[in-house]
Amino acid sequence: QTHSIVKLFRELAELIHPDTIILTETNVPDRENLSYFGSKGDEAHMIYQFPLPPLLLHALHSGSSKYLTGWAQSIPEPGSEATYFNFTASHDGIGVRPAEGLIPKQEVKNMVDRMRDFGGYVSTRTNPDGSENPYEINITWFDALKGTQEGPDNLQKERFLCSQTIMMSLRGIPGFYIHSLFATENDREGVERTGKYRSINRKTWDLQELMDRLNDTGHPAHHIFQELKRLVAIRTDQPAFHPDSQQEIIDMGEPFFVIKRTHESGEQLWSVSNITPHRQTINLSELNTPSELYELISGNTLQTGKLTLSPYHTVWLK
């Protein structure tokens, strides 16, 4: 019935205003989510990429891209008139159901337990047999990345920016929840006030308080806000990041997550991320890149060879 309603909206939209974009939000396992493109491309123009937040969170917690890479390599082509809406955080929480079948249950449990350690809450759903499974992690995305499965560390800012840069690199259209732009911490007082777990990521900012935070050069929020604006500006100028540009996920081992984007003009761009808290060296010649590369984020020119990445460092190479 829901699919019929979406098809009806699509028919009406194309009659009344053909430029309308229909975006479905279905926080369900991946296969069911994908079905909202429609069997003949007759439903949504975009779907929320719900598996991305739990998979990316797991990768950055574990230091292994195994499950993220495996899933990203299997993402179906969305068709010529559709694309994905990539995001990491939302006003609700980090859905766990989309990770079903993609991350082993015990590893999901370990991740959920760590979220409680980082000040978050976990909403559950009741199964037909009366048992309960995690449904949603309620935590701000910034605080979700304050550490790894080993516990908190001093790389929260780097890990957070790595997550947003990866999200911006994937095929589709990136979306930022406003609290990600501000590096908002958990609003546990909001939870106590409302009695609702989701309030932890719905802080209402006082404008002056927020401006003071963003203008304080010593505050992590200042650096994150400025860096995200800079990354968006860089991304906007790259044809290879167009939603229709081809995507190839290259497996370079668990410490790395590598995306190759190719525009119809032939222009290519590689996004290479170190998803671990340790320095990692990658051999660029294995990516079949040109002999000379320009790194968009730093503005440096590189020669094909070995590249050492600091913890949670991402490079955009062309």
Side-chain angles (χ1 to χ4, degrees):
Q1 290 176 328
T2 308
H3 286 281
S4 297
I5 292 291
V6 177
K7 289 178 182 178
L8 176 60
F9 286 162
R10 176 72 174 256
E11 289 280 353
L12 293 172
E14 290 183 348
L15 283 170
I16 299 166
H17 203 305
D19 289 339
T20 299
I21 299 294
I22 295 177
L23 167 64
T24 53
E25 179 192 357
T26 47
N27 191 356
V28 292
D30 196 24
R31 182 173 298 180
E32 189 177 340
N33 187 36
L34 289 167
S35 70
Y36 281 89
F37 279 134
S39 58
K40 301 176 182 178
D42 54 357
E43 293 188 38
H45 299 92
M46 292 196 294
I47 61 172
Y48 274 79
Q49 192 68 286
F50 273 108
L52 178 59
L55 282 162
L56 185 53
L57 183 64
H58 177 274
L60 293 167
H61 272 207
S62 66
S64 169
S65 65
K66 177 169 61 175
Y67 304 124
L68 177 64
T69 293
W71 164 76
Q73 288 177 331
S74 70
I75 296 174
E77 289 284 326
S80 60
E81 295 185 11
T83 195
Y84 295 96
F85 182 70
N86 298 317
F87 75 110
T88 55
S90 75
H91 61 287
D92 289 341
I94 303 167
V96 179
R97 285 200 71 199
E100 290 179 8
L102 300 174
I103 304 174
K105 289 184 179 179
Q106 184 58 47
E107 295 192 41
V108 171
K109 182 182 182 303
N110 294 342
M111 182 172 68
V112 167
D113 289 343
R114 183 57 73 192
M115 292 297 92
R116 291 190 177 100
D117 295 339
F118 291 172
Y121 300 94
V122 179
S123 302
T124 59
R125 64 184 178 92
T126 304
N127 300 315
D129 62 2
S131 62
E132 292 190 343
N133 284 339
Y135 172 78
E136 183 179 86
I137 301 168
N138 302 111
I139 193 170
T140 69
W141 187 255
F142 185 62
D143 273 354
L145 294 172
K146 66 166 54 175
T148 67
Q149 61 187 13
E150 303 300 323
D153 58 26
N154 61 354
L155 294 168
Q156 182 178 17
K157 184 172 64 177
E158 292 81 0
R159 191 178 294 110
F160 177 86
L161 285 170
C162 179
S163 75
Q164 301 307 285
T165 311
I166 288 174
M167 183 265 288
M168 282 190 272
S169 305
L170 287 164
R171 180 172 185 168
I173 295 174
F176 297 90
Y177 182 44
I178 192 167
H179 288 300
S180 292
L181 296 177
F182 304 154
T184 304
E185 298 89 353
N186 292 330
D187 184 12
R188 293 179 68 91
E189 291 181 3
V191 175
E192 293 177 7
R193 187 174 61 253
T194 65
K196 299 181 184 299
Y197 287 164
R198 285 178 170 177
S199 297
I200 199 169
N201 197 19
R202 297 180 177 182
K203 178 179 176 66
T204 301
W205 280 104
D206 172 81
L207 179 59
Q208 191 56 54
E209 180 188 3
L210 178 60
M211 296 309 298
D212 290 344
R213 175 188 179 95
L214 295 180
N215 290 327
D216 180 357
T217 56
H219 199 289
H222 170 84
H223 175 73
I224 285 171
F225 185 60
Q226 297 301 324
E227 186 64 7
L228 288 178
K229 287 200 299 180
R230 190 175 75 90
L231 289 169
V232 168
I234 294 170
R235 184 189 185 280
T236 301
D237 288 336
Q238 303 307 314
F241 280 138
H242 189 280
D244 289 342
S245 294
Q246 292 181 350
Q247 173 173 286
E248 178 185 357
I249 306 297
I250 305 172
D251 188 350
M252 294 294 290
E254 293 187 29
F256 304 103
F257 186 63
V258 181
I259 309 165
K260 179 183 178 182
R261 302 293 306 277
T262 305
H263 187 252
E264 62 182 6
S265 66
E267 181 173 311
Q268 297 177 323
L269 190 152
W270 290 260
S271 172
V272 181
S273 300
N274 171 13
I275 60 162
T276 77
H278 311 289
R279 291 169 66 87
Q280 302 285 349
T281 300
I282 191 168
N283 191 345
L284 294 178
S285 61
E286 295 180 19
L287 298 177
N288 297 318
T289 58
S291 58
E292 188 171 276
L293 293 163
Y294 181 67
E295 205 287 288
L296 294 167
I297 298 175
S298 67
N300 295 328
T301 299
L302 307 174
Q303 301 296 324
T304 296
K306 292 185 176 180
L307 174 64
T308 299
L309 298 174
S310 57
Y312 304 108
H313 185 194
T314 296
V315 291
W316 282 343
L317 307 170
K318 66 177 292 188

